[in-house]
Amino acid sequence: MAVELTQDGDFAVLTLNRPQALNALSFQILKDIGAAIDAVAGMNVRALLVTGAGDKAFCAGADIKELRNRPLVDQKDGAELGQSVFAKLDRLPVASVALVNGYAFGGGAELAMACTFRLAAPNAIFGLPEVKLGLIPGYGGTQRLPRLVGEGRALEIIMTGRNVKADEAERIGLVNAVIEGDLMQAGRDFAGKFTRYSLPVLNFARRAVARAGDTTLAAGLEIEADLSTLAYRLNDAEEGMAAFEEKRKPEFKDA
Ligand code: CAA
């Protein structure tokens, strides 16, 4: 299977498993990723870890060999397929962490950027090299990269198609951390810092922060007021505040 979904304790692990083509995204693989993300929503897990098989690439992007000689309408469908599959990660009830172990180019960088968080191995190299193919990014790169690193940096990376190595990716905010050693364990440790908290509360936080990039400050503050108020309706809010007063650890129930 070119897309594998397994469970490892509290974590779902989605592995792109096509190392002979540097885990390039055929249209079938994109559809399989979509089905896997849908399946994660029904699993009893608290975070999703996304990785690429092999030690060379997270994912080298869309399968270039499938992109040629297609009617324009199919090209548009392809972009919308990639965008809609990656957008599933936004709506997933658990946060996702991309574990970038090597190249993350084009659609691969776009998949990583669609995850909630990104950790990079020291050999990780990001890039949106579509200009070199006479193209521009089509699976969300022109929208998510500026939200992560700012418009000026994003345009420069997109218009030059240059490589962004792990240390620069960390410096500009493209990744949360560069990890020496076991990236999968680092992913579990990273996610473990929030997975003990109430899932609906974490989702309120994700939804509020997601709006920061596409609303006015006034509208964003209203959303924050609504979602932060909604949190008081949860038993977990009562439990968290009671535990504070009683000087004990809270026992959240995701409700
Ligand atoms: N699509 C299809 N096959 C790919 C691929 C891709 N994106 N990237 C790598 N492969 C294949 C290669 O064709 C090669 O297969 P063969 O052995 O059958 O020839 C195999 O993977 C290994 O790749 P290389 O021999 O090229 O490995 P390398 O170490 O010399 O180079 C690389 C690695 C620099 C990542 C290089 O493979 C490369 O530049 N790949 C293309 C990266 C790219 O342009 N990505 C953007 C795609 S377009 C896109 O993603 C649009 C969008 O917005 C969705």
Side-chain angles (χ1 to χ4, degrees):
M1 287 280 284
V3 176
E4 289 174 1
L5 182 64
T6 54
Q7 182 161 356
D8 174 12
D10 279 348
F11 306 105
V13 180
L14 190 160
T15 306
L16 303 178
N17 188 13
R18 193 192 177 198
Q20 69 281 10
L22 305 187
N23 301 320
L25 301 169
S26 65
F27 292 117
Q28 186 57 51
I29 289 178
L30 271 179
K31 288 177 191 157
D32 292 347
I33 293 172
I37 296 171
D38 288 343
V40 172
M43 287 165 79
N44 184 20
V45 293
R46 304 191 72 76
L48 166 65
L49 308 175
V50 182
T51 188
D55 52 12
K56 209 170 158 188
F58 173 73
C59 168
D63 188 328
I64 299 167
K65 291 162 194 169
E66 280 189 356
L67 294 181
R68 298 184 64 198
N69 302 320
R70 297 189 331 136
L72 266 188
V73 72
D74 289 357
Q75 303 292 17
K76 180 105 190 293
D77 285 349
E80 287 176 354
L81 172 68
Q83 290 179 357
S84 62
V85 165
F86 293 174
K88 284 174 185 277
L89 291 163
D90 293 331
R91 295 189 296 274
L92 195 63
V94 296
S96 47
V97 187
L99 305 175
V100 181
N101 51 322
Y103 295 112
F105 279 170
E110 291 167 307
L111 171 59
M113 288 191 281
C115 289
T116 321
F117 303 106
R118 286 147 293 286
L119 300 181
N123 72 337
I125 301 179
F126 293 82
L128 291 173
E130 283 87 346
V131 280
K132 297 176 185 169
L133 301 167
L135 300 170
I136 72 165
Y139 295 171
T142 66
Q143 302 306 301
R144 290 199 174 89
L145 186 60
R147 282 169 165 80
L148 286 168
V149 306
E151 186 179 321
R153 276 201 181 103
L155 258 183
E156 186 255 325
I157 289 166
I158 291 167
M159 290 176 65
T160 61
R162 74 175 173 86
N163 291 351
V164 178
K165 291 186 178 163
D167 53 350
E168 182 188 358
E170 184 179 32
R171 184 164 49 76
I172 66 178
L174 180 52
V175 301
N176 294 83
V178 178
I179 303 295
E180 303 274 352
D182 187 340
L183 195 56
M184 183 59 70
Q185 185 55 45
R188 288 189 212 102
D189 293 344
F190 180 89
K193 290 182 184 148
F194 57 78
T195 48
R196 69 190 127 121
Y197 298 124
S198 167
L199 273 182
V201 169
L202 294 174
N203 285 335
F204 290 155
R206 285 171 59 208
R207 278 163 60 185
V209 170
R211 300 309 303 273
D214 60 14
T215 54
T216 61
L217 178 60
L221 289 173
E222 267 188 50
I223 290 163
E224 183 189 88
D226 288 346
L227 289 172
S228 64
T229 305
L230 209 49
Y232 286 94
R233 293 298 304 267
L234 297 173
N235 293 333
D236 283 339
E238 187 49 38
E239 165 64 9
M241 291 185 283
F244 173 79
E245 284 198 20
E246 293 160 19
K247 298 188 188 300
R248 62 174 174 80
K249 283 204 164 171
E251 285 181 35
F252 294 123
K253 301 228 162 36
D254 298 333

